[in-house]
């Protein structure tokens, strides 16, 4: 996949994740802890999207051929479909919201990072390392929230 196409897809995914977390923040507005948690996640997803957009601008200003990135388009499609379903149907409670968020935070960036290293694209490698770390932090935060509820770890 052309790198700019891949980054656009990932950017769109991040903003949809921000929408989901913003929606969850509103759904759980009656509980300040949950609402604030999901609002923080929303802001972090927006930050991730901004990182991707910055890398896009750098690539657009670069001379020479742009690299392709081996991204499993079927896997990306499945993530996007899962996200669309999450945005279409409210969770039955906080535990279900956490489970869905954990499923969606499973990172595609690890594979992208490996590909960028193979192609000696250090700027992309740093981006995907940062985004992958962000996803891992989100998963850890979600598991901690689940534990605070006495729920099993997703």
């Amino acid at each position: 996949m052309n790198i700019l196409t891949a980054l656009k897809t990932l950017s769109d995914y991040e903003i949809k994740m921000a929408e989901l977390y913003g929606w969850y923040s509103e759904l759980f507005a009656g509980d300040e802890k949950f609402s604030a948690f999901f609002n923080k996640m929303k802001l972090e997803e927006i930050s991730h999207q901004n990182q991707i957009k910055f890398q896009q601008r750098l690539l657009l200003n670069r001379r020479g051929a742009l690299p392709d990135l081996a991204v499993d388009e079927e896997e990306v499609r499945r993530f996007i479909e899962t996200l669309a379903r999450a945005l279409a149907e409210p969770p039955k409670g906080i535990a279900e919201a956490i489970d869905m968020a954990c499923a969606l935070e499973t990172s595609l960036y690890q594979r992208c990072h490996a590909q960028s290293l193979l192609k000696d694209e250090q700027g992309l490698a740093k981006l995907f390392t940062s985004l992958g770390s962000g996803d891992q932090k989100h998963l850890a935060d979600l598991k901690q929230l689940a534990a605070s509820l006495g729920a099993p770890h997703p």
Side-chain angles (χ1 to χ4, degrees):
M1 178 184 284
N2 172 282
I3 187 61
L4 292 175
T5 302
L7 289 175
K8 166 106 175 62
T9 300
L10 294 171
S11 175
D12 292 347
Y13 186 78
E14 292 291 348
I15 204 63
K16 288 291 187 189
M17 287 296 294
E19 285 179 32
L20 180 72
Y21 289 139
W23 184 41
Y24 283 1
S25 179
E26 292 171 13
L27 285 174
F28 300 108
D31 187 310
E32 189 174 325
K33 175 183 170 181
F34 298 138
S35 183
F37 176 86
F38 285 118
N39 190 60
K40 178 179 85 67
M41 297 280 279
K42 175 186 87 170
L43 296 174
E44 290 172 0
E45 296 295 349
I46 291 169
S47 174
H48 294 169
Q49 187 208 28
N50 287 333
Q51 291 176 45
I52 293 168
K53 285 183 161 191
F54 178 75
Q55 187 65 47
Q56 286 173 308
R57 286 192 300 276
L58 290 177
L59 287 169
L60 285 170
N61 290 323
R62 185 168 114 173
R63 288 192 166 84
L66 295 177
D68 282 338
L69 194 62
V71 174
D72 183 341
E73 292 182 46
E74 179 63 22
E75 186 174 14
V76 171
R77 185 188 60 73
R78 282 192 306 269
F79 269 83
I80 291 170
E81 286 175 357
T82 301
L83 179 53
R85 281 192 306 276
L87 283 163
E89 186 175 325
K92 292 176 180 64
I94 188 67
E96 187 175 306
I98 292 169
D99 287 347
M100 179 56 72
C102 283
L104 291 166
E105 288 290 348
T106 303
S107 183
L108 293 172
Y109 297 118
Q110 305 278 332
R111 291 171 192 82
C112 295
H113 177 255
Q115 285 297 318
S116 62
L117 287 177
L118 290 174
K119 296 181 180 298
D120 198 30
E121 291 291 333
Q122 292 304 310
L124 293 175
K126 288 178 184 175
L127 172 70
F128 294 133
T129 296
S130 174
L131 295 171
S133 295
D135 285 353
Q136 291 304 311
K137 181 185 178 308
H138 285 175
L139 278 171
D141 290 349
L142 287 160
K143 288 178 180 182
Q144 185 176 10
L145 182 63
S148 76
L149 295 171
H153 294 292

